[in-house]
Every structure is written in C-alpha cells, then in structure tokens.
Amino acid sequence: MKQTTNSILMIRPVAFRMNEQTAVNNYYQKVLDGLLPATVNAKAQEEFDAFVKKLRSVGVNVIVVDDTLSPDTPDSIFPNNWISFHENGDVVLYPMFAENRRLERREEILDILEDEGFVINEIMDYTEAEMDSIFLEGTGSLLLDRANGKAYCALSPRADEELFIEFCEDFDFAPVIFEAFQTVNGERKEIYTFQQGYSKAARISRTLWHTTADIASIGLWEVIGSPAEMYFDGQQLSYEVVFDDQDKIKRIHQIQNNPDLVKE
C-alpha cells in the first residue's frame, strides 16, 4: 500500500476565522486584535492560492473546491478531519466534535471528485456516532502508516478509543493508542476521555501511560501516570488535566457533559 499520493483535495475558504465551537479544546486558535474576519479570510485565501500554485508547479494534481458562505463553516479548509481516501477506492466519513464542522460534509464534493476521475468504490460512514457524542476526526486525530499497516491515535474528546479500534478492524490497521498533553499559557494540559465502565456497574483499575508529544521536534517520551479506581455508570466523560512545573496535577476540569470543576 502506498503512503503518499500525487492528487490532493483542497477546500478554498470563504469565511475562515477562529471557530468558537472548536476553540474550547483547540488551544492553537487565537483572536487577532484589530483584524476583521474579512481581512483574516482574505489573507487565508492569498496563502491558499499561493500554495496551490506551488504544488501544481511541481506536478501535484490539486483538486480545488470552493467553500460556500452558507452554511457557516469557518474550518472548511481542513477537510482531512471529516473525510479520508484510500487506495482501494474506499472513502471514510468521520464524526465531528463541533456541530458547525459537521456541515462541511457536502455530497457534491464527492461528485466533483468522481468527475475528476477519482473512483469511489465504497463509503464507510461513521457519522452516526455523533448522536452518542462519540467522535473520531479523521487524520486530524489519526496518523495512518499505510505502508506498515499501523494507525496512531492520541485519545481526546475528538478521538474515541472504541471507535478508533473499530476503524482499525475495518481497514486492517494495527492500532497504537496513547494520550498527549501540551503547554498552554505556561501550564501543561492533558485531555482524558474514558467510558465509565460497561452496561453493568463495574469497578476497574487502570494505569495511565501518558505520552508527551513535542510538536516541533516530533519527539515522544512516556511518563507513568497513577492508577485510578472508582465505580462507573456507563457515561462518557472528558477532563482537562493541568500540571504544575513539577509535573504534579494542579487541577482537573470536566469539559464534557458537565463543565463544573471536579477537583482543585
């Protein structure tokens, strides 16, 4: 199986801006003071067009689809979160965390790709998981090593473990699962998502192995976490965990289902 392709899909933005619905757990987004949304989008379009031109100049087949003003989809420039393409003609549709990102899934995009000669044999649609607040945001959540048959996933509110394993079984990937944290305003934050037990109340003990991802150097290392033992009722919860400069837990904040502070 090939790891790379000479054809890519790019969505040209028409209303690019910080997405208020995804900013709750995407700390890379910022509001730029003094810049109107129209100015931000114009800059994004300028960079987009320059990148398309550069890719095409070296022989990459770029299929450009224009976004639409309605519905409002500020993150449409990132289609890899809701769709992926596979060498055998399979197309995967993924469940999205933010409601306005779900609107990016447009059937006419697939029609355009077929008109461009792309063969679609089967569509694997996992989007029904959104009804249960279960998400897996494409290659924004997954790193697919197609050549070696491995898929890597950092668990988060946007990457459900059980759905990830189901995806791996469907596409014959060996799953590699870890948890990641990042530094935000001088604090190290980690997102935990877990299912509280099974259909019957169960007492479990779990040792968490935390993986820190150094984005700049792509370096990885492991930190041993603490065992957790509690009674669970089957509800899915997500927590933001903040560490101090000594790597001790400073606070835990529940960010899904109930925004109340759960530990200080």
Side-chain angles (χ1 to χ4, degrees), residues 10-47:
M10 295 181 65
I11 308 297
R12 192 174 190 271
V14 296
F16 179 75
R17 66 174 193 278
M18 190 190 83
N19 188 346
E20 62 281 354
Q21 293 187 19
T22 60
V24 294
N25 52 23
N26 182 339
Y27 304 110
Y28 296 107
Q29 299 187 71
K30 296 180 180 179
V31 175
L32 300 177
D33 295 333
L35 285 181
L36 296 174
T39 304
V40 173
N41 186 71
K43 180 63 176 176
Q45 289 179 333
E46 179 183 339
E47 294 184 1

Side-chain angles (χ1 to χ4, degrees), residues 194-198 202-206 228-232:
F194 58 89
Q195 195 77 20
Q196 293 191 80
Y198 308 96
R203 190 168 193 227
I204 66 170
S205 176
R206 181 181 179 192
E229 294 183 352
M230 51 200 334
Y231 283 96
F232 298 140

Side-chain angles (χ1 to χ4, degrees), residues 11 31 69 101 103 120 128 163 184 210 221 241 244 262:
I11 308 297
V31 175
L69 285 173
R101 296 225 55 193
L103 302 175
I120 299 176
E128 285 189 1
L163 186 55
V184 182
H210 312 309
W221 63 93
V241 180
D244 64 17
V262 298

Side-chain angles (χ1 to χ4, degrees), residues 48-190:
F48 179 97
D49 294 339
F51 191 40
V52 169
K53 183 178 180 180
K54 181 171 291 187
L55 288 170
R56 286 174 170 168
S57 71
V58 295
V60 177
N61 177 33
V62 183
I63 301 171
V64 175
V65 176
D66 290 320
D67 192 18
T68 57
L69 285 173
S70 179
D72 180 32
T73 52
D75 282 335
S76 61
I77 199 171
F78 308 116
N80 63 296
N81 294 125
W82 65 266
I83 192 168
S84 68
F85 304 93
H86 301 262
E87 190 176 5
N88 63 353
D90 286 347
V91 173
V92 182
L93 303 180
Y94 297 93
M96 304 294 291
F97 174 87
E99 292 186 7
N100 63 8
R101 296 225 55 193
R102 301 170 194 175
L103 302 175
E104 297 173 28
R105 298 190 295 255
R106 294 159 46 198
E107 186 175 348
E108 63 264 31
I109 292 177
L110 297 181
D111 294 337
I112 291 172
L113 292 175
E114 288 187 309
D115 290 341
E116 291 286 338
F118 186 83
V119 177
I120 299 176
N121 289 325
E122 184 176 0
I123 298 177
M124 296 289 291
D125 190 344
Y126 298 102
T127 60
E128 285 189 1
E130 291 168 349
M131 294 186 293
D132 297 317
S133 296
I134 294 174
F135 313 110
L136 187 68
E137 297 199 346
T139 56
S141 295
L142 312 177
L143 177 62
L144 303 181
D145 182 352
R146 301 171 191 252
N148 295 296
K150 294 182 180 180
Y152 299 82
C153 179
L155 301 182
S156 76
R158 305 188 193 190
D160 178 79
E161 182 173 3
E162 290 186 8
L163 186 55
F164 171 60
I165 292 174
E166 179 182 341
F167 165 85
C168 289
E169 291 174 348
D170 289 341
F171 287 89
D172 294 325
F173 283 105
V176 180
I177 301 170
F178 60 96
E179 291 166 310
F181 61 85
Q182 64 188 105
T183 299
V184 182
N185 296 325
E187 296 179 325
R188 287 163 43 151
K189 296 187 177 183
E190 182 165 6

